[in-house]
Amino acid sequence: MPTGSDTLWDIAIAEVEKRENPEGDGKGVEISEKSILFMGNKNGGKTTIILRCLDREEIPKPTLALEYTFGRRVRRHNTPKDVAHFWELGGGTSLVELIRIPITSSNIRAFAIVLVLDLSKPNELWTTMESLLQVTRNHVNKILTKLGKTNPEVATEIKQRMWNNLQKDHPDYELVDPFPLPLVIIGSKYDIFHEFDSEMRKIISKTLRFVSHYYGASLVFTSKSEALLQKARVLINNLAFGFDKSKSVSVDHSRPLFIPAGLDSLNQIGPPPASDSDIGKLRANTPLELWKKVFEKTFPPTSSCDLQYTKDPAQDLQYAEYEVDVMRAQKKQVNVAAQIPWYENVAQMKMPWTWNSGPDSHVLVIQNLNLKVQSGQMLAIIGSTAGGKTSLLDVITCRDHGGKIKSGHILINDKTSTPQLVKKCIAHVRQDDRLLPHLTVKETLLFVAKLRLPKFFSDSQRKKRVEDVIAELRLRQCADTRVGNEYLRGISGGERRRVSIGVQLLWNPGILILDEPTSGLDSFTAHNLVITLSRLARGNRLVLLSVHQPRSDIFQLFDLVLLLTSGVTVYSGTARDMVQYFTEIGYPCPKYSNPADFYVDLTSIDKQNTEKELESQRRVNTLANLFLEKVKDFDDFLWKANEGDDGANTSSQQSSHVNSEESVNIPSHSSDQLPGVLKQFTVLLSRQVSNDFRDLSTLLIHGFEALLMSLLIGFLYYGHEKTRLSIRDTTALLYMIGALTPFTVILDVIAKCHSERVMLYHDLEDGMYSVSPYFFAKILGELPEHCAFVIIYGIPIYWLANLSPEPEHFLLNFLSVWLAVYCARTMALWVAALLPTLQLSAFFGNVLFTSFYLSGGFVINLENLWTVPFWISKISFLRWNFQGLMQVQFNELTYEMTVGNITLHIPGKLVTQSLDLDSQPLYASYLILAGIIISFLILYYLSLRFIKQKSHQNW
């Protein structure tokens, strides 16, 4: 008996000595200590069963990893209490490696296993059971192998113990394979399982009976009811404290099963629940494998999401701390800037030290977002600005703007999302409409149909598809109206948005994603647009759209709503249940208020000052954590009303009834069936010519501009029909012809390219066509306009200024001007594709042209240039055009110069020699100009190929 002066250490030593010496004061009483490991489905009810078995009135909490508790029971009065050690493995199957901690060689003689299986999740049942039992068995076998070398008697005793449940005369003695440790299989949530179809219940019950009998285990079905829990307690008390186990048996599939180990037989269980023909087709080496294949044919296994929460303890909501979570979120921010190629940074005029930093280079990670939607539904993502809506859509569509996924997966028809899969089944309608303004609605859709529909479609089939889309989107009244833009009057804003949807709808995608489709529209137009989207979703499509704060009648049209703020989910579920959900957690929507407005305001971050920001951030995190806790057991992570505490289980039950869910409708044609490069080129060329030549106002202005410049210059030098212009005037005229008009061409081309840049970027990103056909269509499509411009500009000047009248001189002069102006055009194309903004392109184009102008050989003699401008003159198309024009006009002529009474005859070649413009023969000037054109075209192609043609309106 310990005294008051004994220390805790003394008491512990005395207790050990008492156990080792039973003949002492302990009166020979042996204290029993046994251990039990509970494992099974995540959220299957393991903690609840342990607490009820120990008669503890505690609220179950999520198991982080591996938790321990103990219980004590007394056998009779005035005897020491037996101790049972209870271990609980959390995380479903994700933490199976932790079983080596409780199961050791020192306690294996008194160890047992309780496997808790969630009956409401039959699709996860076999996978969970097989994974846990296999890993446990392997670990136990390793321990027994080591014991066989050090203590073979104990190892043999443990192996033989499990055969004691079956007598040797049992008919199944040679057909089973008992588990090496005592095993109890508990089927939890029977109250939900009981609502299943009778045939489903029978299949699950027979399968679990076979597995339990095969492993020599006891089987019991339980739920929250006290009567069923009592049966489970009987089996667990037998394992923990040696209490007698019940001999009663219940094998009726319509009632909860209760079958102690050794009291069942294969004859009573019967064959696997499948026809003989089906069984004959299945190849199995063992009876267990045969039952597995039959069971998984009815309940295909689904991948478990256990790892998402349990691998990182910081994700457990019961340990949430706001300040720590904020710092962790900052640490996990996605560095979007680091994903941008270096050449794009150079093109955007960014300094190297700013490439991987800056306020815009980081965006918040979207955290704890789990969502499962099916075809035929319309999901609206709502939330305040900068809440992560557009980033989420970008991530779904595999675009880098939203950052890269660090953890988790996006699955489409159970396949991991890839850019190739996205292009096959997802259509993305951006926030801004980018369409060619001079084409009609029908022409716009027809050109897209020629590019996106498979090449085996005939022209009549393409037209039929266009007509169907026009009818589906209610666009018949404006089918022959030009699309228009902010400068050209055309169809209305709502009709233009529907045309953008029609462009994506032509190839019949399974998923339609829209980024704020109602922005900029009046409420009536927005309402009609969402009605159209709802109708599209009913056609076996999945429609996802982001929207700020929709009006109440629009909100009622949504099937599902995802409320997103600061990258976290505050609510996801049906739109009609959103008010009820927030009411239940203490945030009812005021009467006559729009739910979308109220709850978006509730979850917005107020950044007026630090105090309000922290307060609103805490509220948002609390709401997000509460919602995640409520839906973590749901298969689709969507909240449903009227399900109470068992809502998650009911959801699981409902999902288990659906053996084949509505899958995304992926078009059957593959990328190699789409129109080839040549077909893309012809379509793009036709579209380019149609759009450009419909813009009569721009064409007339450019033509009038060329004619006016030609007449102004021509009349300046007019009046010398009888006497030629002087050498000085002729030289100035020739340089002005080649240098004046290219500058205006550069500005016009840059402005036009930047107006088309957004549409080009989206088309290339969607895979509508490749760079090569667009490049050649652009070049050839603008040739007629270029030729007309040079003709209107070059011919009047030549004859008004009375230049050399020989036809060959005129043609050579025209060819040189044509090449020089085309050099300017190609240079403008390259600059427009190289730099991100109109201002930068215009600035850089101006710098290049000015450099070429100053080094062209007229402002300063080429002989007097120092090194840098001298080498610039080598690539100056103005210099080579000036040299060619001078040689055409002067080489074969002789000029008369009168000085007093003396008339001098000066050969024209002396003029070109004096200006150092005779370094190359005449044909070389034309070849060099052609080479400069080709060089600029190559640079233009490379810019299109490697630099994303994003639209940047700001520096």
Side-chain angles (χ1 to χ4, degrees), residues 386-428:
K389 301 186 297 297
T390 301
S391 297
L392 174 59
L393 298 183
D394 289 335
V395 169
I396 293 174
T397 53
C398 295
R399 288 171 171 84
D400 291 339
H401 325 322
K404 293 185 177 180
I405 300 177
K406 295 297 183 181
S407 63
H409 299 281
I410 298 174
L411 302 178
I412 302 175
N413 288 353
D414 295 328
K415 297 180 180 178
T416 302
S417 176
T418 61
Q420 294 74 22
L421 183 60
V422 165
K423 287 183 179 180
K424 287 183 178 180
C425 61
I426 295 183
H428 192 185

Side-chain angles (χ1 to χ4, degrees), residues 563 569-572 577-589 598-599 602-603 618-631 639-642 644-645:
L563 179 54
T569 305
V570 180
Y571 173 82
S572 65
D577 295 334
M578 183 175 176
V579 175
Q580 181 177 344
Y581 167 77
F582 280 102
T583 301
E584 290 180 3
I585 63 175
Y587 294 95
C589 180
F598 178 75
Y599 292 120
L602 175 68
T603 57
R618 287 193 185 96
R619 181 177 66 248
V620 168
N621 287 347
T622 301
L623 292 173
N625 293 337
L626 180 60
F627 178 77
L628 185 61
E629 180 68 21
K630 285 182 174 291
V631 301
W639 189 83
K640 286 93 176 175
N642 301 323
D645 295 335

Side-chain angles (χ1 to χ4, degrees), residues 79-304:
T79 59
K81 294 182 178 181
D82 295 332
V83 179
H85 305 280
F86 291 86
W87 296 87
E88 181 184 358
L89 180 68
T93 60
S94 63
L95 299 174
V96 289
E97 298 300 325
L98 295 180
I99 63 170
R100 68 180 186 274
I101 296 176
I103 307 177
T104 63
S105 58
S106 61
N107 66 3
I108 193 170
R109 296 180 64 183
F111 210 98
I113 303 294
V114 174
L115 178 63
V116 181
L117 299 176
D118 190 344
L119 296 176
S120 67
K121 299 178 180 179
N123 299 85
E124 299 179 13
L125 190 147
W126 192 285
T127 303
T128 302
M129 175 179 63
E130 184 179 47
S131 300
L132 293 173
L133 293 182
Q134 184 64 40
V135 174
T136 305
R137 187 167 206 158
N138 292 340
H139 178 66
V140 172
N141 288 338
K142 290 180 181 179
I143 295 177
L144 293 179
T145 301
K146 293 181 180 179
L147 281 177
K149 298 177 181 179
T150 59
N151 196 344
E153 294 81 5
V154 174
T156 302
E157 174 193 345
I158 295 174
K159 293 179 181 178
Q160 183 60 36
R161 180 179 58 186
M162 291 310 301
W163 287 97
N164 294 336
N165 290 326
L166 286 178
Q167 302 298 325
K168 289 188 176 181
D169 58 351
H170 195 286
D172 304 331
Y173 191 83
E174 301 293 335
L175 301 177
V176 298
D177 184 17
F179 202 73
L181 295 179
L183 174 64
V184 172
I185 298 178
I186 298 179
S188 65
K189 301 181 181 179
Y190 179 79
D191 48 347
I192 299 176
F193 172 76
H194 185 65
E195 301 297 328
F196 282 14
D197 179 78
S198 60
E199 189 63 28
M200 295 174 62
R201 296 200 309 270
K202 182 178 180 180
I203 293 173
I204 297 172
S205 299
K206 289 188 65 174
T207 301
L208 289 181
R209 283 183 62 188
F210 170 80
V211 172
S212 300
H213 182 61
Y214 184 81
Y215 284 130
S218 300
L219 176 65
V220 60
F221 284 0
T222 186
S223 67
K224 291 183 179 181
S225 69
E226 189 62 32
L228 293 182
L229 271 175
Q230 184 61 33
K231 293 185 176 182
R233 292 178 64 178
V234 169
L235 294 177
I236 295 173
N237 285 333
N238 172 259
L239 297 178
F241 305 109
F243 291 0
D244 293 337
K245 59 182 178 181
S246 174
K247 296 295 184 179
S248 64
V249 177
S250 175
V251 296
D252 186 357
H253 299 147
S254 62
R255 302 178 62 187
L257 299 182
F258 181 79
I259 310 174
L263 300 183
D264 208 348
S265 67
L266 295 178
N267 186 43
Q268 293 177 352
I269 297 173
S275 63
D276 294 339
S277 60
D278 290 338
I279 294 178
K281 296 178 183 178
L282 298 176
R283 298 181 180 179
N285 298 323
T286 63
L288 185 66
E289 185 178 351
L290 176 62
W291 277 81
K292 174 185 177 181
K293 291 186 176 182
V294 172
F295 182 81
E296 290 186 343
K297 186 176 181 181
T298 306
F299 303 102
T302 57
S303 59
S304 177

Side-chain angles (χ1 to χ4, degrees), residues 543-563:
V543 177
L544 277 69
L545 68 153
S546 64
V547 61
H548 275 297
Q549 290 172 273
R551 54 186 257 189
S552 56
D553 55 352
I554 292 179
F555 182 80
Q556 294 172 2
L557 295 173
F558 300 145
D559 297 319
L560 303 173
V561 170
L562 171 62
L563 179 54

Side-chain angles (χ1 to χ4, degrees), residues 640-658:
K640 286 93 176 175
N642 301 323
E643 294 182 342
D645 295 335
D646 297 332
N649 303 333
T650 304
S651 173
S652 302
Q653 168 204 345
Q654 291 172 350
S655 66
S656 66
H657 281 286
V658 184

Side-chain angles (χ1 to χ4, degrees), residues 468-498:
D468 292 342
V469 170
I470 289 176
E472 190 172 15
L473 294 176
R474 307 294 194 268
L475 291 171
R476 289 189 182 277
Q477 73 281 1
C478 61
D480 297 319
T481 305
R482 293 190 183 186
V483 173
N485 54 19
E486 60 270 25
Y487 307 111
L488 177 67
R489 184 175 180 83
I491 58 179
S492 66
E495 291 170 336
R496 189 178 297 114
R497 187 59 52 88
R498 278 182 280 164

